[in-house]
Amino acid sequence: TGLEIVSSLPERVQLQVQGSSTKLDAFDLSGIAVVLNLSEVQGPGQRTFTIDHHNVRLPLGVRLIRAVPGQLRLEFDRRGTREVPVRVRFSGLPPHRYHMRSQEVQPAKLTILGPESRVRDVEFAETDPIELPPKAGEAEFRVNAFVRDPQVRFATPPSVRVKVVLETVAGVPR
């Protein structure tokens, strides 16, 4: 509770198992998972977990010979949350003869969460690129926001509403 895994996790663990051919043929062994009990992790830092028969659930009559890797070292950090401003990204400049009079983002800030050290480094959330309309006036867009750190996520859906007002620049020839 209150901790996040900071280290990267292996995509797979190779398990060498032994059992009768009828047992091995009868089960789809590709979906077997390694389940680690993290309840004894009390605070931030590194912890090493050994992969053995206690944390690999195999069908009756099949036994684990070895796992590669045989151990996993995980690093934990406290869970942090905070609000960050939403930065609007546009796919280009306003069309010729127009400028952006205003832009409004709702909500203007989003709550992020993840490992405290990573959350602290995030300065802003950024929207998907918005293409400005070809003429003056008001336009509204619904887009998603994004944070670059894959270990940081949003506490709520990252959808924002962006309202943009374009106006004609006086004295600029067509």
Side-chain angles (χ1 to χ4, degrees):
T1 303
L3 295 175
E4 298 269 334
I5 298 173
V6 181
S7 51
S8 59
L9 299 170
E11 286 189 32
R12 67 180 48 170
V13 173
Q14 183 179 357
L15 302 174
Q16 185 179 6
V17 297
Q18 184 178 44
S20 69
S21 59
T22 54
K23 286 281 187 187
L24 295 175
D25 290 342
F27 296 101
D28 177 16
L29 300 176
S30 66
I32 291 176
V34 175
V35 180
L36 300 176
N37 180 358
L38 306 179
S39 65
E40 294 183 15
V41 177
Q42 298 299 312
Q46 289 185 342
R47 304 292 184 280
T48 302
F49 299 88
T50 299
I51 300 172
D52 60 18
H53 67 279
H54 293 100
N55 46 34
V56 178
R57 301 215 193 310
L58 293 169
L60 206 57
V62 177
R63 69 183 190 99
L64 179 67
I65 302 299
R66 73 179 187 136
V68 178
Q71 292 184 310
L72 295 177
R73 177 166 284 165
L74 302 179
E75 185 172 344
F76 296 87
D77 191 4
R78 294 189 200 294
R79 179 174 297 133
T81 63
R82 76 181 184 104
E83 283 191 331
V84 292
V86 176
R87 181 182 288 176
V88 179
R89 220 171 105 208
F90 295 100
S91 60
L93 298 171
H96 179 66
R97 297 185 21 236
Y98 300 110
H99 79 277
M100 193 177 319
R101 185 177 80 197
S102 65
Q103 75 178 30
E104 178 187 321
V105 183
Q106 287 297 323
K109 292 184 175 188
L110 292 171
T111 302
I112 58 172
L113 63 110
E116 194 172 58
S117 58
R118 307 291 278 262
V119 166
R120 195 175 27 247
D121 291 341
V122 176
E123 296 177 32
F124 57 86
E126 184 176 60
T127 68
D128 289 338
I130 295 173
E131 190 169 328
L132 292 169
K135 58 184 180 185
E138 188 176 293
E140 194 169 298
F141 307 90
R142 194 153 275 296
V143 291
N144 286 319
F146 175 81
V147 289
R148 294 188 185 278
D149 189 325
Q151 295 217 7
V152 175
R153 60 200 181 278
F154 292 97
T156 57
S159 179
V160 297
R161 184 181 54 82
V162 179
K163 188 160 69 172
V164 175
V165 178
L166 288 183
E167 66 182 9
T168 306
V169 176
V172 175
R174 289 183 183 213

